[in-house]
Amino acid sequence: GDISKNKIQLSHTCMDPVLAEMGDHLADRREHTSCKQQRFSWRDIPGPLQGNGQDMVTILQLVQNLMHDEEDKLVHRRMQCVGEQGHMALLGHSLAAYISVLDKDRLRKVTTRILSDTTLWLCRLFRYESGSVYFHDDDREGLLKVCRLIINARYEDYATEGFTMLSFRHPVIYHSAACRPGLGQHLCSQLGLPLSTLCCVPCNTMFGSQHQMDVALLDKLMREDLESGKLPLLLIANAGTPGAGHTDKLGRLKELCVQYNVWLHVEGFNLATLALSPVSSMIMAATKSDSMTLTPGPWLGLPAVPAATLYRHEDPALSLAAGLTSSHPVEKLRALPLWLSLQYLGHDGIVERIRHASQLVRTALRRVRCWERVEDDLSSPVVVFRFSPDSSSGNFFPCYTLCSRGVCVCVCCQLGERLARLVPASGVDVVELEDEGVCVRFNPIMTAAVLGTQEADVMALSERLMELLPSLSCTLRSRQDFREEVFQHAVLSYVEDLNWAGLGALRYEPRRTDLDEGRRHQQMEKINSDLLKKLKELDTDLDFSTGPEFGEERNCVFIGMVPEDIDVAVLVETIASIGRELEESGKLLENMTEVVRKGILEAEEQLRRANEEKLIEEGVLRQIPLVGSVVNWFSPFQSSVKGRTFDLAAGGNGRTVLNQEAACASSRCSPRVSFTGQKAFRRPAMSTDSYSETSSVCHLDESYRDTVPQPPGERVEGDVAEVPQMSPPPKLELEVSEEEASAWTVQRVPEGEEGESPASIR
């Protein structure tokens, strides 16, 4: 019956490298979206069971490979921080397997002690007197067992008659409109009850908080159900809604339940504050409920520990029939991981972790004063906020004061994702509320113990938030200017995408009309792809991309967040100029291809004629092998050497003109004319008379540039860098042989000038 210490130490040591490696991963959604295609190998294909078996080292290596595949090398994921208390919880699962092989008497003694201790500790810690505990893995399973207990208690012949008893008096289960989505449907599906059993109670609309259950309306609904012959069974209340952490008026709800003989069940993460002292009266009323569900795993940072449902009922037979208790000792071993972890932390350690989470909320509120709260800090240890461009004091309002509008929803999503990426230890996430829309949530009760959040992380979170605030505001202000600037360029088209939280999106459309629809679409796709590559090569802080991964728009350039000193006009002008340059380069390539193709055809025709003239001039006998040699020996024939030249003037001149136009267009772009030490598309730090109010580039008049010479080494007023002048294209000189000349345009050289014919062609 004794367990060897060496086995325990071996199990503890084998888990250390894997758990340490799991803690080194960092979440990065942007890098994850770039890896769209997963890499599969032969290891992912299930194979047959080995006949001879495998050793433990091979099996553990297989488990490690399954946990950390090749994709983890590219995408870093942040895993739960597992400390010593986490190791105790993980060790409990291994010990449960060892204990289950004991003899029945010793097993019953061990499991009874574990269950009794854990029940006593939880009831005292969370101020729930004379209660029993049911441990379960699914946090909804405890409420399901409670429903079965209530049905067995309220319908006396239910154990023998079954569901026929429900037809006499239809049961009713009440739940708040702010409860967990799908909770009521799960209860009905597991209990075999119709969906008409559920009664959704709306939240307050006139008086009180708009996120609490309407008590007056609930009273009216219960009274009407009783008068119609129905049987109210259960009321599910919230001590911390899943979205924003609001708490119902539990004291008033308990009075209604006593009046109508209804079972009151309470759930929510605000129940963790029952371990603190003092406790708010709103949360303290939860201790008078008939049952409540606790999730100590995320509260205390314990992995793989079960949830606990505390309940009060005097009939053990009904509890056994409902499944809240079990006669099998092995079922009681579910409490072993929690039993070990609670002993390791101790009472003071448990209270300190929950108090630390509450302190993080107060630190966040103190660092950012514009975050406002409606409820008391202890009753709702969660901060929910969102971005609002209408705010003149900090641009942040509480989530329940302003409604989301348009692109602000996407901005809130991107804000939450950026904060989670910049400060991963903070545990912030994005939540969507029914009335307020998309918000950013900071819930340290559920994340602080798991991620190891400290006050320094909260301060870093507020600093990053204040750093992102100017960029968010400037981006929303500049969206309309960006739209208007795009409309001023005929080659650009504005792309409306409300799911993009950046500056906006545009598409370069070629000006050629001589192409069919298919070739024009291919050209547009290639130009926009090359345009995106060139924009990414510029020295700028802007983020250029192809947009959302699953977006509907294609062949577009999406621009992300922009700084406060962005010059939208210069940005759009630069994009249009680069697009025109790419289009002209493609057109030049097509022209040169056509010129060369025609030249090849003409050269083939000239060579064919030359061969015919040679045949006529030399005669047929000279073309016959052996006979031609004899004829040439008796009568030598002097053939004239005919040179051939190829002139690229037809395509070269066009290239020079296009390059000059591209150089002129590029000279007006901000990336090539910028201020010393300044990123592209930025307005100047100082204002001079040489600069316009809307552009950071001084556009000098062409006549002024021609008439006023610039001394070498001297810059224009305003410290504007010199525009590099484009040198003329070099001459193309090639040396070709007689056979290679077939690819060029053939021109006959007059006889008598053969010696003067150059060896090179132009």
Side-chain angles (χ1 to χ4, degrees), residues 378-398:
L378 294 178
S379 64
S380 182
V382 58
V383 177
V384 180
F385 62 94
R386 64 184 178 87
F387 179 80
S388 175
D390 295 338
S391 174
S392 59
S393 58
N395 286 48
F396 280 91
F397 266 51

Short mmCIF file of all heavy atoms in Angstrom, two decimals, residues 378-398:
data_model
loop_
_atom_site.label_atom_id
_atom_site.label_comp_id
_atom_site.label_asym_id
_atom_site.label_seq_id
_atom_site.Cartn_x
_atom_site.Cartn_y
_atom_site.Cartn_z
N LEU A 378 -14.94 45.37 -5.03
CA LEU A 378 -14.93 44.00 -4.56
C LEU A 378 -16.07 43.19 -5.15
O LEU A 378 -15.96 41.98 -5.31
CB LEU A 378 -15.01 43.97 -3.03
CG LEU A 378 -13.80 44.56 -2.29
CD1 LEU A 378 -14.03 44.52 -0.80
CD2 LEU A 378 -12.53 43.82 -2.66
N SER A 379 -17.18 43.82 -5.46
CA SER A 379 -18.31 43.08 -6.01
C SER A 379 -18.12 42.75 -7.48
O SER A 379 -18.74 41.82 -7.99
CB SER A 379 -19.60 43.88 -5.83
OG SER A 379 -19.53 45.08 -6.57
N SER A 380 -17.28 43.49 -8.18
CA SER A 380 -17.05 43.23 -9.60
C SER A 380 -15.58 43.49 -9.92
O SER A 380 -15.23 44.56 -10.39
CB SER A 380 -17.96 44.12 -10.46
OG SER A 380 -17.77 43.84 -11.82
N PRO A 381 -14.72 42.52 -9.66
CA PRO A 381 -13.28 42.73 -9.90
C PRO A 381 -12.93 42.54 -11.37
O PRO A 381 -12.13 41.67 -11.74
CB PRO A 381 -12.64 41.66 -9.03
CG PRO A 381 -13.65 40.56 -9.00
CD PRO A 381 -15.00 41.21 -9.06
N VAL A 382 -13.51 43.35 -12.22
CA VAL A 382 -13.23 43.27 -13.65
C VAL A 382 -13.39 44.67 -14.24
O VAL A 382 -14.26 45.43 -13.81
CB VAL A 382 -14.16 42.25 -14.35
CG1 VAL A 382 -15.60 42.62 -14.15
CG2 VAL A 382 -13.83 42.14 -15.82
N VAL A 383 -12.55 45.00 -15.19
CA VAL A 383 -12.59 46.30 -15.86
C VAL A 383 -12.92 46.05 -17.33
O VAL A 383 -12.24 45.28 -18.00
CB VAL A 383 -11.25 47.04 -15.74
CG1 VAL A 383 -11.30 48.35 -16.51
CG2 VAL A 383 -10.92 47.30 -14.28
N VAL A 384 -13.97 46.69 -17.81
CA VAL A 384 -14.38 46.58 -19.20
C VAL A 384 -14.42 47.98 -19.78
O VAL A 384 -15.08 48.86 -19.23
CB VAL A 384 -15.76 45.90 -19.33
CG1 VAL A 384 -16.17 45.79 -20.79
CG2 VAL A 384 -15.74 44.53 -18.69
N PHE A 385 -13.72 48.21 -20.88
CA PHE A 385 -13.66 49.53 -21.49
C PHE A 385 -13.59 49.35 -23.00
O PHE A 385 -13.38 48.25 -23.52
CB PHE A 385 -12.45 50.33 -20.99
CG PHE A 385 -11.13 49.69 -21.32
CD1 PHE A 385 -10.43 50.05 -22.45
CD2 PHE A 385 -10.58 48.72 -20.48
CE1 PHE A 385 -9.22 49.46 -22.75
CE2 PHE A 385 -9.37 48.13 -20.78
CZ PHE A 385 -8.69 48.50 -21.91
N ARG A 386 -13.76 50.45 -23.70
CA ARG A 386 -13.64 50.43 -25.15
C ARG A 386 -13.28 51.82 -25.66
O ARG A 386 -13.45 52.81 -24.95
CB ARG A 386 -14.92 49.94 -25.82
CG ARG A 386 -16.11 50.82 -25.62
CD ARG A 386 -17.34 50.17 -26.25
NE ARG A 386 -18.53 50.97 -26.02
CZ ARG A 386 -18.92 51.96 -26.81
NH1 ARG A 386 -18.18 52.28 -27.84
NH2 ARG A 386 -20.01 52.64 -26.55
N PHE A 387 -12.81 51.87 -26.88
CA PHE A 387 -12.39 53.12 -27.49
C PHE A 387 -13.61 53.88 -28.01
O PHE A 387 -14.52 53.30 -28.60
CB PHE A 387 -11.43 52.83 -28.65
CG PHE A 387 -10.97 54.06 -29.37
CD1 PHE A 387 -9.95 54.83 -28.84
CD2 PHE A 387 -11.55 54.44 -30.55
CE1 PHE A 387 -9.51 55.96 -29.51
CE2 PHE A 387 -11.13 55.56 -31.23
CZ PHE A 387 -10.11 56.33 -30.70
N SER A 388 -13.59 55.19 -27.79
CA SER A 388 -14.67 56.04 -28.26
C SER A 388 -14.08 57.33 -28.79
O SER A 388 -13.46 58.09 -28.04
CB SER A 388 -15.67 56.34 -27.14
OG SER A 388 -16.65 57.26 -27.58
N PRO A 389 -14.22 57.63 -30.08
CA PRO A 389 -13.64 58.86 -30.62
C PRO A 389 -14.35 60.12 -30.18
O PRO A 389 -13.85 61.21 -30.40
CB PRO A 389 -13.76 58.65 -32.13
CG PRO A 389 -14.93 57.75 -32.28
CD PRO A 389 -14.92 56.84 -31.09
N ASP A 390 -15.54 60.01 -29.57
CA ASP A 390 -16.29 61.19 -29.16
C ASP A 390 -15.83 61.76 -27.82
O ASP A 390 -16.30 62.80 -27.40
CB ASP A 390 -17.78 60.86 -29.05
CG ASP A 390 -18.36 60.50 -30.40
OD1 ASP A 390 -17.76 60.90 -31.41
OD2 ASP A 390 -19.38 59.79 -30.43
N SER A 391 -14.97 61.02 -27.15
CA SER A 391 -14.52 61.48 -25.84
C SER A 391 -13.44 62.53 -26.00
O SER A 391 -12.50 62.36 -26.76
CB SER A 391 -14.00 60.29 -25.02
OG SER A 391 -13.44 60.74 -23.83
N SER A 392 -13.57 63.60 -25.29
CA SER A 392 -12.55 64.66 -25.33
C SER A 392 -11.56 64.55 -24.19
O SER A 392 -10.58 65.27 -24.16
CB SER A 392 -13.25 66.03 -25.27
OG SER A 392 -14.02 66.14 -24.08
N SER A 393 -11.80 63.67 -23.26
CA SER A 393 -10.90 63.51 -22.11
C SER A 393 -10.39 62.08 -22.10
O SER A 393 -10.91 61.22 -21.43
CB SER A 393 -11.63 63.82 -20.81
OG SER A 393 -12.75 62.97 -20.67
N GLY A 394 -9.39 61.81 -22.89
CA GLY A 394 -8.77 60.50 -22.85
C GLY A 394 -9.29 59.53 -23.87
O GLY A 394 -8.71 58.48 -24.05
N ASN A 395 -10.41 59.83 -24.49
CA ASN A 395 -10.96 58.98 -25.54
C ASN A 395 -11.37 57.60 -25.04
O ASN A 395 -11.55 56.69 -25.81
CB ASN A 395 -10.00 58.82 -26.71
CG ASN A 395 -9.92 60.05 -27.55
OD1 ASN A 395 -9.77 61.15 -27.03
ND2 ASN A 395 -10.03 59.90 -28.85
N PHE A 396 -11.52 57.44 -23.72
CA PHE A 396 -11.98 56.17 -23.19
C PHE A 396 -13.15 56.43 -22.27
O PHE A 396 -13.09 57.26 -21.37
CB PHE A 396 -10.87 55.44 -22.42
CG PHE A 396 -9.93 54.73 -23.32
CD1 PHE A 396 -8.80 55.35 -23.79
CD2 PHE A 396 -10.19 53.45 -23.73
CE1 PHE A 396 -7.93 54.70 -24.64
CE2 PHE A 396 -9.33 52.79 -24.59
CZ PHE A 396 -8.20 53.42 -25.03
N PHE A 397 -14.23 55.71 -22.51
CA PHE A 397 -15.42 55.81 -21.70
C PHE A 397 -15.75 54.43 -21.17
O PHE A 397 -15.36 53.43 -21.75
CB PHE A 397 -16.58 56.35 -22.52
CG PHE A 397 -16.74 57.84 -22.43
CD1 PHE A 397 -15.65 58.68 -22.64
CD2 PHE A 397 -17.95 58.39 -22.13
CE1 PHE A 397 -15.79 60.04 -22.56
CE2 PHE A 397 -18.10 59.76 -22.06
CZ PHE A 397 -17.02 60.59 -22.27
N PRO A 398 -16.49 54.33 -20.07
CA PRO A 398 -16.95 53.01 -19.65
C PRO A 398 -17.84 52.39 -20.72
O PRO A 398 -18.50 53.08 -21.47
CB PRO A 398 -17.74 53.31 -18.37
CG PRO A 398 -18.09 54.75 -18.45
CD PRO A 398 -16.98 55.41 -19.20
#
